[in-house]
Amino acid sequence: MPKIGDIQLPDFPLLLAPMEDVSDPPFRALCKEQGADVVYTEFISSEGLIRDAAKSVMKLDIYEKERPVGIQIFGANLDSMLRSVEIVEKSNPDIIDINFGCPVKKVVSKGAGAGILKDINLMVSLTEAMVKHTKLPVTVKTRLGWDHDSIKIVEVAERLQDVGIKSIAIHGRTRAQMYKGEADWAPIAEVKNNPRMHIPVFGNGDVASPEAAMRMRDAYGLDGAMIGRASIGYPWFFKEVKHYFKTGTHLAPPTMEERVQAARRHLQMAIDWKGEKLGVFETRRHYTNYFKGIPNFKEYRMKMVTSDDASDVFDAFEEALKIFGDYEFMAPS
């Protein structure tokens, strides 16, 4: 069974991917309850941390019930990254994760995230310095490479392991692909099958069904799956994958009542954590998936995603439950 440093994980753990404006404490709590084995914070700018930017500092909030939890930071300046490690340590996470995979232009243009894939030597030296600067296990999330012609992920993973990282999560696309096309897990399997590798290798990208997670485990031999988009507005995904692994059958999907209850809790926790305005705004992206597949639901979804008033959103949940309470969601065949 895989370990990250001294953290013992179950066989083929499921990890909640770090996602901007998604993997905040309220959503992490819901995913943890539904079987996520490791959760990561949203990615946090090292420059924002050392400048004490309110949004960056707020993302350091972690709670005991989430453990093991990793705080993910990004940046390309060595001094800033080392100083941010010291700030992160005060929040007492279980893991410090470095983001070498974010493809967004505003991050990449600063040489951070996937931007560092253009300079592997810098990527390795930055990682080494951070490993030496903390007693916490350091992990890395990255992509296959900058573009199709520069994929050296087997060598990159080996070099990062050699400077002391404790696990690596690899998204099966290049930066050039962004989120287009299909994720290619074969190069991730090459990393895992490299006889020199001894740290856990986690796969990420297109794990959108229990069958996909099983394929990642059985056909590609990876150590675990990092789940991103499939969990947005659907924290039950982790539980469903585990049920499928155990039984080979699909768990019955959550009922309308369970969905409304989860959406209600999610919104309330978000408001409690970041205030009504931000709580209402940043929870909107989840509602499409909470209530996916219900015919003639548009009117209620529009209320949920356009209202700035929390009481209106809570009312929309209750109205939807009254009208669609008996709707039967179909399990995937």
Side-chain angles (χ1 to χ4, degrees):
M1 289 196 286
K3 288 175 87 170
I4 298 177
D6 293 330
I7 303 164
Q8 182 65 64
L9 300 174
D11 190 35
F12 202 79
L14 304 177
L15 298 78
L16 173 66
M19 292 177 280
E20 176 73 351
D21 295 333
V22 173
S23 50
D24 57 11
F27 186 58
R28 297 197 305 263
L30 291 170
C31 291
K32 195 79 187 179
E33 287 172 16
Q34 296 295 335
D37 296 301
V38 183
V39 296
Y40 288 88
T41 64
E42 304 167 72
F43 74 150
I44 307 173
S45 161
S46 57
E47 301 295 337
L49 278 183
I50 65 173
R51 288 175 177 73
D52 208 26
K55 188 165 186 190
S56 295
V57 173
M58 191 176 181
K59 290 178 184 176
L60 292 173
D61 287 355
I62 57 174
Y63 299 89
E64 283 304 310
K65 63 188 175 189
E66 302 183 66
R67 296 189 185 280
V69 56
I71 290 180
Q72 191 191 67
I73 51 178
F74 73 93
N77 177 280
L78 177 58
D79 182 56
S80 301
M81 289 292 269
L82 294 181
R83 285 166 65 194
S84 69
V85 164
E86 293 165 12
I87 296 166
V88 163
E89 282 182 326
K90 290 173 184 161
S91 290
N92 195 28
D94 302 288
I95 298 160
I96 293 179
D97 189 71
I98 315 173
N99 182 312
F100 289 144
C102 176
V104 176
K105 192 175 179 183
K106 68 177 181 182
V107 173
V108 168
S109 62
K110 296 187 177 82
I116 208 164
L117 289 165
K118 286 179 165 180
D119 189 345
I120 301 303
N121 289 336
L122 175 62
M123 183 185 191
V124 173
S125 63
L126 197 68
T127 304
E128 182 174 24
M130 290 176 70
V131 168
K132 287 178 176 171
H133 206 64
T134 181
K135 289 186 171 66
L136 289 169
V138 174
T139 62
V140 161
K141 180 167 191 279
T142 189
R143 286 184 168 235
L144 298 180
W146 176 256
D147 57 26
H148 187 265
D149 298 327
S150 62
I151 294 176
K152 296 178 182 164
I153 190 63
V154 175
E155 175 202 332
V156 168
E158 194 176 293
R159 289 179 66 185
L160 291 171
Q161 173 185 263
D162 289 350
V163 298
I165 69 165
K166 300 302 183 189
S167 75
I168 187 166
I170 304 167
H171 183 106
R173 291 181 177 86
T174 63
R175 190 275 163 172
Q177 284 178 277
M178 300 293 284
Y179 293 99
K180 297 187 180 82
E182 284 186 14
D184 184 2
W185 300 344
I188 312 176
E190 281 182 53
V191 172
K192 174 62 190 168
N193 293 330
N194 175 359
R196 283 209 59 233
M197 291 298 286
H198 54 79
I199 60 172
V201 178
F202 302 122
N204 175 232
D206 294 355
V207 186
S209 66
E211 289 89 342
M214 186 173 268
R215 204 161 58 247
M216 188 174 263
R217 184 189 72 176
D218 297 347
Y220 290 83
L222 303 184
D223 292 304
M226 183 174 270
I227 315 293
R229 287 177 289 175
S231 69
I232 298 174
Y234 202 79
W236 301 278
F237 187 77
F238 299 94
K239 187 179 181 179
E240 290 178 359
V241 170
K242 290 185 170 181
H243 179 86
Y244 189 78
F245 280 1
K246 211 176 275 182
T247 67
T249 62
H250 286 277
L251 192 63
T255 63
M256 186 64 179
E257 190 164 336
E258 288 169 324
R259 289 164 195 254
V260 168
Q261 186 184 11
R264 198 192 288 130
R265 279 186 64 213
H266 192 163
L267 177 56
Q268 188 59 59
M269 287 192 289
I271 291 168
D272 292 345
W273 183 58
K274 51 190 156 189
E276 181 171 351
K277 188 178 176 184
L278 260 185
V280 167
F281 178 72
E282 290 188 356
T283 314
R284 285 174 180 169
R285 71 186 61 218
H286 293 272
Y287 300 143
T288 299
N289 283 352
Y290 272 130
F291 305 108
K292 195 173 187 175
I294 305 174
N296 308 314
F297 196 76
K298 188 177 178 185
E299 176 192 342
Y300 301 92
R301 187 179 295 113
M302 288 307 290
K303 282 184 190 173
M304 293 172 193
V305 301
T306 56
S307 176
D308 294 325
D309 188 315
S311 62
D312 289 345
V313 183
F314 285 120
D315 287 347
F317 293 155
E318 298 315 312
E319 285 173 41
L321 183 57
K322 270 184 200 155
I323 292 172
F324 299 98
D326 294 333
Y327 180 77
E328 288 193 25
F329 293 87
M330 300 295 291
S333 53

